[in-house]
């Protein structure tokens, strides 16, 4: 068992680094001091702050008393996914340790992170009340005009200007870059960060395959049946509740594997992505019409 523990100590930091490097939505992850663990495995606890507004000031009595209330709300994580792999010890030896060592990093980079990003974008795009615009964008000018309109909408909704993040497909960002105009530079310059998102993880809805039913054994996700492609999304981090409750890689050596002479790599991820009810204006999604 000691061998298994030592391996976990080596691999876990590397797996965490792989998530941070490959994830496109990591900038939206909540600070650890804003999210607490719930009593159950599929729960997290988030702070909700409510306060009274201004009242008339009296020169005789001074301030009007008000209430500020901080409550912790328990929410259930709506994402609980996992997978287990076995690599025969002999296969691992014959490849110089590459067979098992490569598997874990590649699994996170090519399977876990794309699905997690897609799930998050789809979750925010499908939230009631967020700003949605259906539009087919074919030119860089169309893209700039659409982004400018989105920013104006968010300004009118009093979303903080600082900290806005732009998620956009590589194609549209390239079309904008070809304009090379002062206007395009000014519009893009208003964002704290711009992130290119492949269309393969940028949909208004996704279907997650269960990994065991007929036709779903490969697992992973696919574009939802009624979903459309997202062109770009503007998100203010304060608008979302995004946190991983459990990120749990499990590594067993052949010596402690009761089912065979093989290395075992198991991975479980419990996560949550939700929009604050009173901050839906902090998300603007522009998507294709069909």
């Amino acid at each position: 068992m000691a061998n298994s523990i030592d391996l976990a100590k080596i691999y876990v930091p590397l797996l965490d680094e792989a998530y941070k490097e490959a994830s496109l939505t990591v900038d939206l992850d909540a600070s650890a001091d804003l999210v607490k663990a719930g009593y159950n495995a599929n729960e997290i606890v988030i702070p909700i702050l409510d306060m009274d507004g201004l009242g008339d000031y009296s020169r005789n009595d001074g301030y009007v008393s008000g209430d500020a209330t901080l409550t912790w709300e328990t929410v259930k994580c709506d994402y609980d996914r996992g997978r287990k792999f076995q690599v025969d010890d002999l296969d691992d030896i014959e490849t110089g340790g590459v067979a098992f060592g490569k598997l874990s990093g590649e699994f996170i980079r090519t399977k876990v992170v794309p699905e997690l990003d897609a799930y998050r974008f789809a979750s925010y795009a499908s939230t009631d009340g967020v700003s949605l615009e259906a539009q087919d964008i074919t030119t860089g000018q169309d893209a700039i005009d659409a982004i400018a309109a989105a920013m104006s909408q968010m300004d009118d909704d009093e979303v903080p200007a600082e900290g806005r993040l732009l998620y956009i497909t590589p194609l549209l960002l390239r079309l904008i870059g070809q304009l090379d105009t002062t206007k395009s530079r000014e519009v893009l310059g208003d964002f704290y960060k711009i992130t290119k998102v492949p269309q393969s993880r940028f949909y208004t809805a996704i279907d997650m395959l269960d990994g065991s039913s007929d036709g779903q054994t490969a697992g992973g996700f696919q574009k939802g049946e009624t979903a459309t492609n997202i062109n770009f999304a503007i998100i203010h981090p304060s608008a979302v509740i995004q946190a991983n409750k459990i990120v749990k890689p499990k590594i067993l050596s052949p010596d402690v594997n009761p089912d065979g002479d093989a290395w075992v790599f198991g991975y479980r991820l419990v996560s949550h992505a939700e929009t604050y009810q009173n901050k839906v204006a902090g998300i603007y999604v522009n998507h294709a019409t069909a």
Side-chain angles (χ1 to χ4, degrees):
M1 184 61 69
N3 189 25
S4 175
I5 295 174
D6 290 340
L7 277 169
K9 289 179 179 178
I10 294 172
Y11 275 101
V12 168
L14 296 176
L15 299 180
D16 184 57
E17 183 180 353
Y19 159 72
K20 290 180 180 178
E21 287 183 352
S23 173
L24 302 178
T25 54
V26 68
D27 294 315
L28 298 171
D29 281 352
S31 173
D33 58 350
L34 292 180
V35 177
K36 296 183 178 181
Y39 290 108
N40 299 314
N42 66 334
E43 293 178 348
I44 59 174
V45 185
I46 59 172
I48 304 294
L49 180 63
D50 189 26
M51 66 193 77
D52 294 334
L54 288 170
D56 289 339
Y57 182 85
S58 170
R59 294 191 179 187
N60 294 323
D61 300 324
Y63 301 101
V64 179
S65 296
D67 289 329
T69 306
L70 177 64
T71 58
W72 291 89
E73 179 179 330
T74 299
V75 297
K76 289 194 174 184
C77 298
D78 49 9
Y79 183 95
D80 191 345
R81 305 274 279 170
R83 191 62 119 168
K84 182 178 74 173
F85 298 95
Q86 287 200 139
V87 176
D88 187 88
D89 190 32
L90 186 58
D91 289 338
D92 194 53
I93 292 173
E94 291 176 346
T95 61
V98 172
F100 181 75
K102 188 78 170 175
L103 181 147
S104 54
E106 283 297 287
F107 174 66
I108 293 176
R109 187 180 67 83
T110 64
K111 301 297 181 181
V112 175
V113 174
E115 178 178 302
L116 186 60
D117 283 339
Y119 148 75
R120 288 168 169 175
F121 287 127
S123 176
Y124 302 142
S126 60
T127 300
D128 290 339
V130 303
S131 299
L132 290 173
E133 178 68 27
Q135 181 181 2
D136 294 322
I137 299 176
T138 58
T139 68
Q141 191 59 54
D142 288 343
I144 282 294
D145 292 342
I147 293 173
M151 292 289 273
S152 295
Q153 178 65 54
M154 297 182 85
D155 290 342
D156 289 339
D157 291 336
E158 301 188 42
V159 178
E162 293 184 0
R164 295 180 191 177
L165 305 175
L166 173 64
Y167 297 92
I168 186 170
T169 63
L171 174 60
L172 291 189
L173 191 59
R174 191 174 300 113
L175 290 175
I176 292 173
Q178 291 172 352
L179 293 176
D180 194 26
T181 63
T182 302
K183 180 181 179 181
S184 64
R185 287 192 293 269
E186 288 179 351
V187 171
L188 295 184
D190 288 336
F191 293 101
Y192 175 75
K193 185 177 181 180
I194 299 174
T195 302
K196 292 186 291 185
V197 183
Q199 192 70 78
S200 58
R201 58 177 99 170
F202 216 20
Y203 306 120
T204 56
I206 63 168
D207 294 328
M208 290 184 287
L209 309 182
D210 60 27
S212 57
S213 302
D214 290 342
Q216 299 189 33
T217 54
F221 74 98
Q222 62 188 20
K223 182 179 180 180
E225 186 176 348
T226 61
T228 57
N229 294 344
I230 297 177
N231 297 318
F232 67 84
I234 303 174
I235 302 176
H236 196 281
S238 65
V240 302
I241 309 164
Q242 179 176 294
N244 292 329
K245 171 68 185 291
I246 295 175
V247 182
K248 193 173 184 180
K250 181 182 293 184
I251 300 168
L252 297 178
S253 71
D255 296 335
V256 296
N257 181 4
D259 299 321
D261 186 28
W263 292 91
V264 176
F265 171 65
Y267 190 90
R268 184 187 179 193
L269 175 59
V270 179
S271 189
H272 187 74
E274 186 182 348
T275 307
Y276 281 103
Q277 219 170 15
N278 62 340
K279 295 183 178 179
V280 290
I283 298 177
Y284 188 107
V285 177
N286 181 294
H287 61 93
T289 59

